[in-house]
Amino acid sequence: MKTSPVILFCCALYGVSVCGQAPLDNPVAAFYSGNQGYPAWTDRIAWDNIIDMSVYADGDNDFEKFERARDELASQGGGVLYYPGGSYDFSAMPADGPDGRGLMLKSGVVIRGETPSGDDHARDGTLALPTKFSFSFQNKGGGQVPRDWNIVGIMPLEGKRLKDVATIGIVWVELTGAAIYFGPDIEWGATWATAGSWKSGKVKQAWAGRVPDGTHPWDPFCGGRNTYIGVGDGRLVFGCLLKDAAVLNNCVDEGFGTDGFYTAKFGPRIGVYGSRIFIANNAIPRSSRNFFYQQATSSGSTKKLLFDYGKNCGIDVNKDLLGMVREGLLAEMTQGYFEPGVAVIDNFVFNHGHKGFNVAGEWTVIRNNRNERAYLQEAADVYGIGVGWELTLDGYLESEAGGSGSKSDNLSRGFDLGGRALWIDNNWLNNTGSNPGNDGEGILCQSHGGTQWYSWAVTGNTHVRGAGEGGYFGGYDVQQYGSLIAWNTLPGWVGSTKAGANIDAAYVDNQAGGGTRATGTDVITSCPSGTPNAPALVSATAENDHVVIRWKDQSNNEAGFRIDRTIDNGDWTAIAFRPRKSAGSEHNTQEWHDYLAPAEKLLRYRVVAVNCDNNDAGASIAVGPVNLAGDAVSVDAPHAVLLRGRHEKQAYLIDLRGRCIGTLQNAKCTRTNAAGVYLMVPLKGAGEKVMLFAGE
């Protein structure tokens, strides 16, 4: 067979690196390459379509370059804005006032920094990141506060809505002075002042005419109405360090006057709304920019207040900002609080008041997070800057002891959760509560501002009391339809209180200083005896980017179920715990959806009926293998092509030194090969073409 040579050129066009040193792999898959898995949906990001921002020249400053490069990638269907190690200054961003904007991502566009060579694990509160973004501050009250639009956010393409923004994110970047906000899309009023939203009547005159569209963190409560429109699919926040991050309230007058300000009570430092969310390995450490200032409060006098960067929520997913549309979401139970495929893992959050983690979703994993807190004591010298300050809920309303939440809830709790089918595992928190105040919960489900407890497993978490409250892991005035609370250590109690059914519930083998509480009858509070029978009819089915595991209970003495997975015949690893089945509930189905199943691997599953020993005696037979297909494109013509997908068994890959480096299946190939030129030689029966093509 006679072939013609193919000549490949390396070039750069407006900073587009074709053959440079920019990484082309999926950094999430590279970092989470072990048994824990990673979300296969991240493979659909166009990691190989890169603009190298260190050489991109279209723009007078880093902000202009960002917007123009972003638009180029968005017009191509997406790609990566790659920022090699160095400092990037976004002080030219128009970040003030109602018509400003931040670093707004469009569909398919991801910001990627250089992969760290040193400290790359965030759970201790540190990351050594080579890529650094800086945002400017504004001077107020004798200190420095973030500007109104100091956010990495999202915006739709022309003619689209916010819900249409898909597959976006930020990876391996240190941010100084900016929060991350990928918000929900709801019905918007004409302006903030006329929308009839919760805070519309308190909007400052300077912001009254803002036309809400969901791009600003205050849009839901100032410009939102009562209809939920939707959220986008695919949100990634991975390996980021957020220094001096806060959402500012400079737009709503809570009673402190036109010039008053505070941290936004419902403004998260990382706020992400959508389905298929992966927030992992990020750190939000203690700030050193906190300061005192004078402001009018509800007492009728001017008090010394603390502008506190630690008094914003740490990570909010699909929860706090849905208050205006809550009733409709709870009636349907398919959107909003119930968006599928949420994972919040390996993050560090510092708090001084407010929630560390505020998360809702379905088939949701909340694991290995650390919420390090300073107890919120009025007037205390927490930051080494002095004492004698007044504690307020919102910069105006002075906090009171006990009583009504509207006067005493500083939201100083660890994990405030909602949704259906959650696994909350191996998280750590301390120092919850406030004084004066009425809060302090450890891991909480409450119907006020949230959902009922629908099929949750809370396992292996640790609450250290420190100077704070005893707290609890459980439900407050909610129905529990499927509940496993086991192997936790805490100063407070576990279970449920005030009211609510307990169906398919087990509160067992906890080291809980406050004991166990229950409000229903279908609950066990001591370890069942004997070995449970293994589940039957176990199945595992690949569905696009996740695997659905189902089973049938065969025992009456289990505390719950453990779902295990093995990758490429490796070790069995627990990927979820599920509540037991007793009376049964439509909200506690015998299934799990594995959104952390990696692509192009041989996956096997088993379901184990467990008692307090949590051993393998009640294990089912293994099922599988199943395989999630990669992001592949066909190579069916003799031309240069970038590799995508996974190499398998239908053709040989031979490099120009004659070495066989792998195989292809149906002329599909992978992103994992090194950059270079390769020869594809199809096997007998697979075609007769021989091609040269470029590897990535």
Side-chain angles (χ1 to χ4, degrees):
M1 177 176 175
K2 191 173 182 180
T3 61
S4 299
V6 177
I7 300 175
L8 303 180
F9 295 91
C10 296
C11 61
L13 179 62
Y14 286 106
V16 181
S17 178
V18 179
C19 300
Q21 298 301 310
L24 301 165
D25 64 329
N26 178 344
V28 178
F31 188 83
Y32 289 105
S33 60
N35 292 331
Q36 69 273 56
Y38 74 94
W41 68 260
T42 60
D43 283 337
R44 73 180 184 225
I45 295 170
W47 297 109
D48 52 8
N49 189 27
I50 293 175
I51 294 180
D52 186 335
M53 298 303 293
S54 67
V55 297
Y56 188 82
D58 191 3
D60 293 333
N61 54 62
D62 285 330
F63 178 71
E64 286 188 3
K65 292 175 184 178
F66 163 80
E67 288 203 316
R68 293 174 186 180
R70 173 207 63 195
D71 289 346
E72 287 184 32
L73 290 181
S75 69
Q76 300 165 20
V80 174
L81 299 174
Y82 178 62
Y83 289 84
S87 297
Y88 301 87
D89 179 8
F90 294 98
S91 58
M93 190 169 72
D96 303 310
D99 299 322
R101 61 189 185 275
L103 294 189
M104 314 305 285
L105 296 170
K106 295 182 178 180
S107 277
V109 178
V110 171
I111 296 170
R112 179 174 185 172
E114 184 174 318
T115 303
S117 59
D119 180 7
D120 61 355
H121 285 73
R123 200 168 186 262
D124 65 354
T126 63
L127 284 170
L129 300 180
T131 301
K132 305 177 188 302
F133 286 10
S134 62
F135 298 78
S136 56
F137 294 79
Q138 55 181 317
N139 296 317
K140 293 183 75 70
Q144 290 187 319
V145 301
R147 296 166 70 191
D148 302 317
W149 288 86
N150 274 17
I151 60 171
V152 177
I154 57 174
M155 65 183 297
L157 298 171
E158 186 175 356
K160 299 289 186 179
R161 293 193 60 113
L162 205 66
K163 71 176 179 63
D164 301 314
V165 180
T167 318
I168 47 85
I170 181 169
V171 173
W172 290 137
V173 178
E174 177 183 301
L175 303 169
T176 297
I180 296 171
Y181 179 66
F182 307 152
D185 194 359
I186 61 182
E187 179 189 1
W188 306 112
T191 66
W192 276 15
T194 62
S197 195
W198 180 33
K199 295 292 184 179
S200 289
K202 295 185 175 183
V203 172
K204 294 182 180 181
Q205 184 59 38
W207 288 76
R210 168 161 170 80
V211 178
D213 59 5
T215 58
H216 192 275
W218 274 98
D219 277 344
F221 287 156
C222 292
R225 300 179 66 83
N226 296 322
T227 301
Y228 181 79
I229 302 299
V231 287
D233 181 74
R235 274 93 175 89
L236 174 63
V237 182
F238 167 68
C240 292
L241 177 66
L242 278 69
K243 300 169 64 176
D244 305 327
V247 176
L248 178 68
N249 177 16
N250 192 33
C251 50
V252 172
D253 180 2
E254 298 289 1
F256 39 56
T258 302
D259 295 329
F261 64 97
Y262 201 65
T263 53
K265 185 174 182 180
F266 297 101
R269 286 170 280 177
I270 296 178
V272 179
Y273 286 66
S275 59
R276 289 167 177 79
I277 290 172
F278 192 64
I279 301 176
N281 196 43
N282 304 288
I284 308 177
R286 179 188 296 237
S287 173
S288 60
R289 290 184 186 264
N290 308 290
F291 64 93
F292 295 128
Y293 65 109
Q294 300 290 321
Q295 188 159 284
T297 69
S298 57
S299 67
S301 60
T302 298
K303 295 290 184 70
K304 179 182 179 180
L305 300 189
L306 172 64
F307 188 88
D308 191 345
Y309 281 82
K311 204 170 182 282
N312 270 154
C313 175
I315 296 176
D316 174 36
V317 177
N318 294 335
K319 197 164 182 295
D320 254 1
L321 300 181
L322 298 179
M324 293 295 297
V325 295
R326 178 173 177 269
E327 296 306 317
L329 295 174
L330 294 182
E332 295 181 2
M333 290 183 61
T334 58
Q335 300 182 89
Y337 302 112
F338 307 97
E339 301 290 345
V342 173
V344 180
I345 63 175
D346 298 329
N347 300 286
F348 175 95
V349 172
F350 171 80
N351 282 92
H352 183 219
H354 221 296
K355 307 169 189 177
F357 295 81
N358 195 45
V359 180
E362 185 172 33
W363 316 117
T364 292
V365 176
I366 305 166
R367 292 196 72 197
N368 300 331
N369 300 289
R370 184 177 179 90
N371 185 205
E372 186 172 295
R373 313 179 62 90
Y375 181 62
L376 185 59
Q377 171 65 58
E378 181 177 81
D381 187 5
V382 175
Y383 298 114
I385 59 175
V387 298
W389 51 276
E390 185 75 30
L391 176 60
T392 69
L393 273 63
D394 55 10
Y396 176 73
L397 190 64
E398 294 185 8
S399 185
E400 300 179 3
S404 169
S406 63
K407 295 183 179 181
S408 58
D409 189 0
N410 288 286
L411 309 173
S412 186
R413 54 186 67 103
F415 293 76
D416 194 336
L417 309 176
R420 180 171 48 210
L422 275 64
W423 183 33
I424 305 104
D425 178 68
N426 197 40
N427 301 287
W428 187 97
L429 64 148
N430 70 342
N431 287 329
T432 60
S434 60
N435 184 25
N438 180 24
D439 40 32
E441 302 88 349
I443 297 176
L444 169 69
C445 177
Q446 60 177 337
S447 59
H448 177 70
T451 71
Q452 305 299 319
W453 181 300
Y454 297 119
S455 192
W456 296 14
V458 181
T459 59
N461 303 282
T462 300
H463 180 178
V464 175
R465 182 167 190 163
E469 306 297 331
Y472 59 85
F473 294 176
Y476 179 83
D477 196 20
V478 294
Q479 314 292 331
Q480 289 193 0
Y481 302 109
S483 177
L484 172 63
I485 307 178
W487 313 298
N488 302 286
T489 301
L490 65 157
W493 54 267
V494 299
S496 62
T497 192
K498 189 176 181 180
N502 300 144
I503 296 174
D504 295 349
Y507 315 141
V508 296
D509 208 19
N510 299 284
Q511 302 297 313
T516 301
R517 301 182 185 182
T519 53
T521 57
D522 187 20
V523 55
I524 59 174
T525 57
S526 59
C527 295
S529 60
T531 299
N533 295 326
L537 302 179
V538 179
S539 65
T541 306
E543 295 192 2
N544 190 14
D545 57 6
H546 64 283
V547 177
V548 178
I549 303 98
R550 295 186 174 93
W551 65 92
K552 184 176 181 181
D553 179 25
Q554 296 292 296
S555 68
N556 58 11
N557 63 335
E558 80 276 3
F561 300 95
R562 188 184 76 232
I563 295 90
D564 293 343
R565 179 188 63 211
T566 181
I567 300 174
D568 288 342
N569 298 315
D571 295 335
W572 286 107
T573 300
I575 61 165
F577 279 86
R578 306 305 310 130
R580 71 191 186 110
K581 183 179 184 296
S582 179
S585 167
E586 63 177 325
H587 300 299
N588 183 39
T589 56
Q590 293 181 278
E591 65 181 300
W592 179 252
H593 294 213
D594 182 11
Y595 279 89
L596 295 179
E600 296 293 343
K601 300 287 187 181
L602 296 179
L603 308 174
R604 290 180 171 83
Y605 294 86
R606 69 182 184 185
V607 180
V608 186
V610 297
N611 53 27
C612 293
D613 293 333
N614 188 25
N615 57 32
D616 297 341
S620 73
I621 61 170
V623 296
V626 296
N627 178 281
L628 296 178
D631 179 18
V633 295
S634 295
V635 199
D636 56 2
H639 61 275
V641 61
L642 293 175
L643 303 182
R644 304 181 73 173
R646 290 276 175 182
H647 48 269
E648 296 291 347
K649 297 181 179 179
Q650 296 301 311
Y652 293 116
L653 269 180
I654 300 174
D655 68 14
L656 295 190
R657 297 180 184 177
R659 297 175 299 185
C660 181
I661 63 166
T663 57
L664 292 87
Q665 183 175 27
N666 300 325
K668 296 179 180 179
C669 24
T670 80
R671 297 178 178 180
T672 60
N673 298 73
V677 178
Y678 299 91
L679 185 68
M680 184 180 79
V681 183
L683 298 176
K684 184 177 180 180
E688 297 181 355
K689 297 174 183 175
V690 176
M691 308 173 199
L692 288 174
F693 55 95
E696 295 179 7

